Amino acid sequence: MQNKVKEIGVQQFAELDAKVLKAQKTLGNNVVAFLWTDTVVYKRAADEIEAKTVVPVGDLSKCLTTALVMQFVDEGKISLDDKVAKYIPEFDKYGKNYITTRHCLSGYDGIDAEPVSLKSITGRKHYQSLEEAVNDWPKKEIKSNPGTEFRYSNAGFDIAARIIEIVCKKKFETIIKQKLFNP
């Protein structure tokens, strides 16, 4: 039998609530919650996401993509210092042949990508394949030199996943099942 979660309202945490509201721009439009055992001691829902809003597990995929890429690095099949253009010629075509796999996994790829938000997750362009999506990234402007400025986006992880597809000549979903999920 599942424990029923008790909630204590925001009114008991006026000082904390004021700080959260003041920092809302930094925190983004996500739910902020502090938990202690079976009691929610503070809860504040922001503009885009409510406590019960269902969203894709997109950010979790970043961890899984990184774990898979690192397996290939450990096996010597790719290097973190490989240029993306080695695998995806579109990057060379658009003058972005200096971006490395390391840049992609660290958020330092420099590509001007839309910040990740509920709107960008639910309203983003749908592609037929990872290849099609990744072939769009080189067309984007460079916002900062790779390796110099952190940008939170999906660009680098999409690119890293596509590199794995190219190396294995299999779809990413198949590879991740074989190498991470099934074991």
Side-chain angles (χ1 to χ4, degrees):
M1 185 167 171
Q2 196 172 357
N3 290 342
K4 183 159 173 76
V5 176
K6 298 174 239 157
E7 293 187 19
I8 300 172
V10 172
Q11 64 278 3
Q12 293 191 7
F13 295 92
E15 185 179 338
L16 175 61
D17 194 50
K19 288 180 181 180
V20 169
L21 287 173
K22 185 177 179 184
Q24 192 66 53
K25 185 175 182 181
T26 304
L27 294 171
N29 290 329
N30 297 310
V31 173
V32 177
F34 296 92
L35 305 173
W36 186 263
T37 63
D38 66 345
T39 302
V40 176
V41 295
Y42 170 79
K43 179 170 69 175
R44 160 65 65 186
D47 296 339
E48 294 181 19
I49 299 177
E50 302 265 336
K52 293 183 180 182
T53 302
V54 177
V55 295
V57 295
D59 289 338
L60 178 59
S61 69
K62 290 173 176 58
C63 301
L64 298 172
T65 299
T66 301
L68 186 61
V69 168
M70 294 310 293
Q71 281 188 3
F72 280 78
V73 169
D74 287 348
E75 294 168 5
K77 294 179 180 173
I78 65 171
S79 167
L80 290 176
D81 296 318
D82 284 345
K83 305 283 192 233
V84 171
K86 174 180 176 180
Y87 304 99
I88 308 169
E90 289 290 305
F91 281 83
D92 200 22
K93 177 181 169 184
Y94 284 92
K96 294 178 178 69
N97 56 347
Y98 45 83
I99 299 173
T100 66
T101 306
R102 182 184 311 274
H103 293 138
C104 292
L105 292 179
S106 65
Y108 282 84
D109 52 66
I111 296 172
D112 186 15
E114 180 179 334
V116 178
S117 68
L118 182 60
K119 182 180 177 187
S120 71
I121 292 168
T122 58
R124 44 192 282 208
K125 181 177 177 184
H126 293 283
Y127 296 97
Q128 297 300 312
S129 67
L130 183 59
E131 177 181 12
E132 183 183 344
V134 168
N135 284 342
D136 260 1
W137 288 119
K139 299 171 190 172
K140 304 281 186 186
E141 294 295 320
I142 289 292
K143 194 74 168 177
S144 59
N145 289 332
T148 62
E149 187 177 305
F150 176 79
R151 299 190 160 285
Y152 186 77
S153 78
N154 294 323
F157 294 95
D158 287 352
I159 295 163
R162 179 66 184 135
I163 289 171
I164 296 301
E165 282 189 340
I166 291 166
V167 168
C168 291
K169 297 179 176 75
K170 295 179 185 176
K171 293 288 182 197
F172 185 76
E173 295 82 10
T174 301
I175 304 160
I176 202 162
K177 282 179 190 173
Q178 290 173 345
K179 305 264 304 164
L180 286 182
F181 299 152
N182 290 344

